[in-house]
Amino acid sequence: PAIPDGFKITGSLTFTSEVKSLPRDLDVGHTLSIQNNPNITKLPDNLKVGGLCLSGCSNLSQIPPISKYIGSLIIDRTNITELPDTLSIEGNFKASPYLEKLPTHIKCRGNFALEKCRYIREIPEDILLGKSLDIKNCPNFSKLPDNLVVPGDLMITGCPKFKKFPKNLSVGFYVYG
């Protein structure tokens, strides 16, 4: 069924492959989840969400300017290449393999994960982490910033260009690598 413009829901909203397009004005109080939907090529310009989960949206290449504060941000199996330059994530973050760079100023209170991100070479210097940092199978990843604080676990696996840990690295629990 078609969703009218100006649609608002205080809870979460999940779309599957059956939805062909989204309304121009969409307001989702909690998480907007769009899964395995090649029909979606663009998100509404006036998108308001508490959290955003995009998975398997192979024809989606950008997200509109979203609030710099967001619950969780999961972009997996999309063609999204960039994010807003400043981003504060209250929950978890997982990046798309096509993401070319991370925001310059990023704060993530949850877990921060990069998996199969072929273009990401380093974590920005101005990153504030709340839990774990997990970097897996990123072939060009080579650098963590000096003075990085990881309150949880630090996991770096399958990153052949990563050769050394930075100066003054602080990890709360375990280091895997």
Side-chain angles (χ1 to χ4, degrees):
I3 298 167
D5 287 337
F7 189 79
K8 182 176 182 175
I9 182 171
T10 57
S12 294
L13 182 61
T14 299
F15 289 115
T16 60
S17 60
E18 297 173 11
V19 172
K20 305 282 187 236
S21 65
L22 299 174
R24 280 182 290 174
D25 293 310
L26 182 59
D27 187 342
V28 181
H30 288 282
T31 301
L32 171 62
S33 179
I34 305 173
Q35 301 173 2
N36 302 319
N37 192 328
N39 299 317
I40 300 296
T41 58
K42 185 176 188 293
L43 294 176
D45 289 332
N46 295 326
L47 180 64
K48 295 177 186 162
V49 293
L52 187 58
C53 178
L54 305 168
S55 181
C57 301
S58 56
N59 291 315
L60 186 62
S61 61
Q62 63 182 12
I63 58 175
I66 54 177
S67 168
K68 64 180 184 173
Y69 300 101
I70 190 165
S72 287
L73 180 59
I74 310 297
I75 47 174
D76 183 36
R77 297 181 295 126
T78 71
N79 286 318
I80 293 172
T81 59
E82 60 184 80
L83 298 170
D85 199 42
T86 298
L87 199 56
S88 182
I89 304 164
E90 294 300 313
N92 297 325
F93 173 78
K94 182 177 180 185
S96 167
Y98 295 102
L99 193 63
E100 293 177 2
K101 72 178 196 121
L102 293 168
T104 305
H105 309 284
I106 189 164
K107 177 180 177 181
C108 179
R109 292 183 188 261
N111 295 314
F112 190 95
L114 302 176
E115 188 171 346
K116 298 179 184 174
C117 294
R118 61 186 80 147
Y119 302 109
I120 301 293
R121 297 181 186 281
E122 61 187 44
I123 297 293
E125 299 222 1
D126 192 9
I127 188 168
L128 182 59
L129 298 170
K131 291 187 179 176
S132 296
L133 175 61
D134 187 2
I135 304 170
K136 292 182 187 168
N137 303 316
C138 297
N140 291 306
F141 183 80
S142 62
K143 185 180 177 198
L144 293 172
D146 288 341
N147 305 308
L148 178 65
V149 176
V150 182
D153 298 335
L154 172 61
M155 295 161 274
I156 302 177
T157 57
C159 302
K161 293 187 177 179
F162 182 76
K163 302 294 185 196
K164 68 177 186 172
F165 290 102
K167 295 177 189 173
N168 301 318
L169 173 66
S170 174
V171 178
F173 293 103
Y174 297 102
V175 175
Y176 302 97

